[in-house]
PDB file of all heavy atoms in Angstrom:
ATOM      1  N   GLY A1096     -11.337  22.880  11.907  1.00 71.00           N
ATOM      2  CA  GLY A1096     -11.972  22.911  10.601  1.00 71.00           C
ATOM      3  C   GLY A1096     -11.309  23.933   9.689  1.00 71.00           C
ATOM      4  O   GLY A1096     -10.565  24.810  10.139  1.00 71.00           O
ATOM      5  N   SER A1097     -11.608  23.815   8.419  1.00 83.00           N
ATOM      6  CA  SER A1097     -10.936  24.656   7.432  1.00 83.00           C
ATOM      7  C   SER A1097     -11.868  25.600   6.690  1.00 83.00           C
ATOM      8  O   SER A1097     -11.453  26.266   5.747  1.00 83.00           O
ATOM      9  CB  SER A1097     -10.228  23.753   6.413  1.00 83.00           C
ATOM     10  OG  SER A1097     -11.171  22.921   5.746  1.00 83.00           O
ATOM     11  N   ALA A1098     -13.133  25.674   7.103  1.00 89.00           N
ATOM     12  CA  ALA A1098     -14.108  26.460   6.350  1.00 89.00           C
ATOM     13  C   ALA A1098     -13.710  27.927   6.267  1.00 89.00           C
ATOM     14  O   ALA A1098     -13.802  28.548   5.202  1.00 89.00           O
ATOM     15  CB  ALA A1098     -15.492  26.315   6.970  1.00 89.00           C
ATOM     16  N   TYR A1099     -13.271  28.500   7.397  1.00 92.00           N
ATOM     17  CA  TYR A1099     -12.933  29.922   7.387  1.00 92.00           C
ATOM     18  C   TYR A1099     -11.702  30.173   6.520  1.00 92.00           C
ATOM     19  O   TYR A1099     -11.671  31.116   5.723  1.00 92.00           O
ATOM     20  CB  TYR A1099     -12.699  30.429   8.810  1.00 92.00           C
ATOM     21  CG  TYR A1099     -12.502  31.931   8.878  1.00 92.00           C
ATOM     22  CD1 TYR A1099     -13.594  32.790   8.795  1.00 92.00           C
ATOM     23  CD2 TYR A1099     -11.240  32.492   9.020  1.00 92.00           C
ATOM     24  CE1 TYR A1099     -13.432  34.169   8.844  1.00 92.00           C
ATOM     25  CE2 TYR A1099     -11.071  33.866   9.076  1.00 92.00           C
ATOM     26  CZ  TYR A1099     -12.167  34.697   8.981  1.00 92.00           C
ATOM     27  OH  TYR A1099     -11.994  36.058   9.031  1.00 92.00           O
ATOM     28  N   ALA A1100     -10.695  29.318   6.652  1.00 93.00           N
ATOM     29  CA  ALA A1100      -9.495  29.466   5.834  1.00 93.00           C
ATOM     30  C   ALA A1100      -9.826  29.330   4.353  1.00 93.00           C
ATOM     31  O   ALA A1100      -9.274  30.070   3.509  1.00 93.00           O
ATOM     32  CB  ALA A1100      -8.439  28.440   6.234  1.00 93.00           C
ATOM     33  N   GLU A1101     -10.730  28.424   4.018  1.00 94.00           N
ATOM     34  CA  GLU A1101     -11.115  28.263   2.627  1.00 94.00           C
ATOM     35  C   GLU A1101     -11.854  29.486   2.114  1.00 94.00           C
ATOM     36  O   GLU A1101     -11.716  29.869   0.950  1.00 94.00           O
ATOM     37  CB  GLU A1101     -11.979  27.006   2.458  1.00 94.00           C
ATOM     38  CG  GLU A1101     -11.197  25.712   2.589  1.00 94.00           C
ATOM     39  CD  GLU A1101     -10.034  25.652   1.605  1.00 94.00           C
ATOM     40  OE1 GLU A1101     -10.238  25.975   0.411  1.00 94.00           O
ATOM     41  OE2 GLU A1101      -8.915  25.296   2.017  1.00 94.00           O
ATOM     42  N   ARG A1102     -12.640  30.101   2.981  1.00 94.00           N
ATOM     43  CA  ARG A1102     -13.333  31.327   2.594  1.00 94.00           C
ATOM     44  C   ARG A1102     -12.324  32.430   2.282  1.00 94.00           C
ATOM     45  O   ARG A1102     -12.431  33.120   1.268  1.00 94.00           O
ATOM     46  CB  ARG A1102     -14.274  31.768   3.718  1.00 94.00           C
ATOM     47  CG  ARG A1102     -14.869  33.155   3.586  1.00 94.00           C
ATOM     48  CD  ARG A1102     -15.795  33.277   2.414  1.00 94.00           C
ATOM     49  NE  ARG A1102     -16.506  34.553   2.428  1.00 94.00           N
ATOM     50  CZ  ARG A1102     -17.180  35.040   1.398  1.00 94.00           C
ATOM     51  NH1 ARG A1102     -17.256  34.354   0.266  1.00 94.00           N
ATOM     52  NH2 ARG A1102     -17.807  36.201   1.491  1.00 94.00           N
ATOM     53  N   VAL A1103     -11.327  32.599   3.149  1.00 96.00           N
ATOM     54  CA  VAL A1103     -10.300  33.616   2.915  1.00 96.00           C
ATOM     55  C   VAL A1103      -9.523  33.289   1.646  1.00 96.00           C
ATOM     56  O   VAL A1103      -9.244  34.171   0.818  1.00 96.00           O
ATOM     57  CB  VAL A1103      -9.357  33.722   4.129  1.00 96.00           C
ATOM     58  CG1 VAL A1103      -8.200  34.680   3.835  1.00 96.00           C
ATOM     59  CG2 VAL A1103     -10.136  34.194   5.365  1.00 96.00           C
ATOM     60  N   ARG A1104      -9.179  32.025   1.473  1.00 96.00           N
ATOM     61  CA  ARG A1104      -8.459  31.616   0.270  1.00 96.00           C
ATOM     62  C   ARG A1104      -9.263  31.956  -0.995  1.00 96.00           C
ATOM     63  O   ARG A1104      -8.720  32.444  -1.993  1.00 96.00           O
ATOM     64  CB  ARG A1104      -8.173  30.120   0.312  1.00 96.00           C
ATOM     65  CG  ARG A1104      -7.296  29.619  -0.853  1.00 96.00           C
ATOM     66  CD  ARG A1104      -7.370  28.094  -0.957  1.00 96.00           C
ATOM     67  NE  ARG A1104      -7.017  27.447   0.299  1.00 96.00           N
ATOM     68  CZ  ARG A1104      -5.778  27.174   0.672  1.00 96.00           C
ATOM     69  NH1 ARG A1104      -4.773  27.483  -0.128  1.00 96.00           N
ATOM     70  NH2 ARG A1104      -5.541  26.579   1.839  1.00 96.00           N
ATOM     71  N   SER A1105     -10.574  31.689  -0.941  1.00 96.00           N
ATOM     72  CA  SER A1105     -11.424  31.961  -2.087  1.00 96.00           C
ATOM     73  C   SER A1105     -11.457  33.445  -2.421  1.00 96.00           C
ATOM     74  O   SER A1105     -11.374  33.840  -3.594  1.00 96.00           O
ATOM     75  CB  SER A1105     -12.838  31.451  -1.810  1.00 96.00           C
ATOM     76  OG  SER A1105     -13.728  31.802  -2.841  1.00 96.00           O
ATOM     77  N   LEU A1106     -11.569  34.289  -1.405  1.00 97.00           N
ATOM     78  CA  LEU A1106     -11.597  35.734  -1.643  1.00 97.00           C
ATOM     79  C   LEU A1106     -10.291  36.213  -2.258  1.00 97.00           C
ATOM     80  O   LEU A1106     -10.285  37.080  -3.151  1.00 97.00           O
ATOM     81  CB  LEU A1106     -11.882  36.469  -0.334  1.00 97.00           C
ATOM     82  CG  LEU A1106     -13.289  36.283   0.248  1.00 97.00           C
ATOM     83  CD1 LEU A1106     -13.383  36.900   1.626  1.00 97.00           C
ATOM     84  CD2 LEU A1106     -14.341  36.887  -0.687  1.00 97.00           C
ATOM     85  N   ILE A1107      -9.166  35.669  -1.791  1.00 98.00           N
ATOM     86  CA  ILE A1107      -7.866  36.039  -2.370  1.00 98.00           C
ATOM     87  C   ILE A1107      -7.811  35.615  -3.831  1.00 98.00           C
ATOM     88  O   ILE A1107      -7.429  36.393  -4.713  1.00 98.00           O
ATOM     89  CB  ILE A1107      -6.716  35.405  -1.569  1.00 98.00           C
ATOM     90  CG1 ILE A1107      -6.650  35.996  -0.158  1.00 98.00           C
ATOM     91  CG2 ILE A1107      -5.384  35.615  -2.297  1.00 98.00           C
ATOM     92  CD1 ILE A1107      -5.643  35.306   0.747  1.00 98.00           C
ATOM     93  N   THR A1108      -8.202  34.377  -4.102  1.00 97.00           N
ATOM     94  CA  THR A1108      -8.151  33.851  -5.461  1.00 97.00           C
ATOM     95  C   THR A1108      -9.022  34.650  -6.417  1.00 97.00           C
ATOM     96  O   THR A1108      -8.662  34.862  -7.588  1.00 97.00           O
ATOM     97  CB  THR A1108      -8.590  32.371  -5.469  1.00 97.00           C
ATOM     98  OG1 THR A1108      -7.743  31.624  -4.591  1.00 97.00           O
ATOM     99  CG2 THR A1108      -8.532  31.783  -6.861  1.00 97.00           C
ATOM    100  N   GLU A1109     -10.168  35.129  -5.923  1.00 96.00           N
ATOM    101  CA  GLU A1109     -11.103  35.884  -6.758  1.00 96.00           C
ATOM    102  C   GLU A1109     -10.752  37.361  -6.869  1.00 96.00           C
ATOM    103  O   GLU A1109     -11.490  38.130  -7.495  1.00 96.00           O
ATOM    104  CB  GLU A1109     -12.519  35.727  -6.201  1.00 96.00           C
ATOM    105  CG  GLU A1109     -13.047  34.301  -6.276  1.00 96.00           C
ATOM    106  CD  GLU A1109     -14.345  34.129  -5.528  1.00 96.00           C
ATOM    107  OE1 GLU A1109     -14.953  35.147  -5.131  1.00 96.00           O
ATOM    108  OE2 GLU A1109     -14.763  32.976  -5.332  1.00 96.00           O
ATOM    109  N   GLY A1110      -9.651  37.785  -6.267  1.00 97.00           N
ATOM    110  CA  GLY A1110      -9.251  39.182  -6.344  1.00 97.00           C
ATOM    111  C   GLY A1110     -10.093  40.108  -5.498  1.00 97.00           C
ATOM    112  O   GLY A1110     -10.211  41.299  -5.789  1.00 97.00           O
ATOM    113  N   ARG A1111     -10.647  39.562  -4.415  1.00 98.00           N
ATOM    114  CA  ARG A1111     -11.537  40.350  -3.553  1.00 98.00           C
ATOM    115  C   ARG A1111     -10.948  40.595  -2.169  1.00 98.00           C
ATOM    116  O   ARG A1111     -11.658  40.977  -1.242  1.00 98.00           O
ATOM    117  CB  ARG A1111     -12.890  39.639  -3.451  1.00 98.00           C
ATOM    118  CG  ARG A1111     -13.662  39.671  -4.749  1.00 98.00           C
ATOM    119  CD  ARG A1111     -14.774  38.651  -4.856  1.00 98.00           C
ATOM    120  NE  ARG A1111     -15.678  38.673  -3.723  1.00 98.00           N
ATOM    121  CZ  ARG A1111     -16.732  37.864  -3.606  1.00 98.00           C
ATOM    122  NH1 ARG A1111     -16.994  36.979  -4.555  1.00 98.00           N
ATOM    123  NH2 ARG A1111     -17.511  37.934  -2.548  1.00 98.00           N
TER     124      ARG A1111
END
Side-chain angles (χ1 to χ4, degrees):
S1097 61
Y1099 187 78
E1101 288 304 314
R1102 169 66 171 166
V1103 174
R1104 186 195 305 275
S1105 174
L1106 292 172
I1107 294 173
T1108 302
E1109 295 171 11
R1111 291 162 52 180

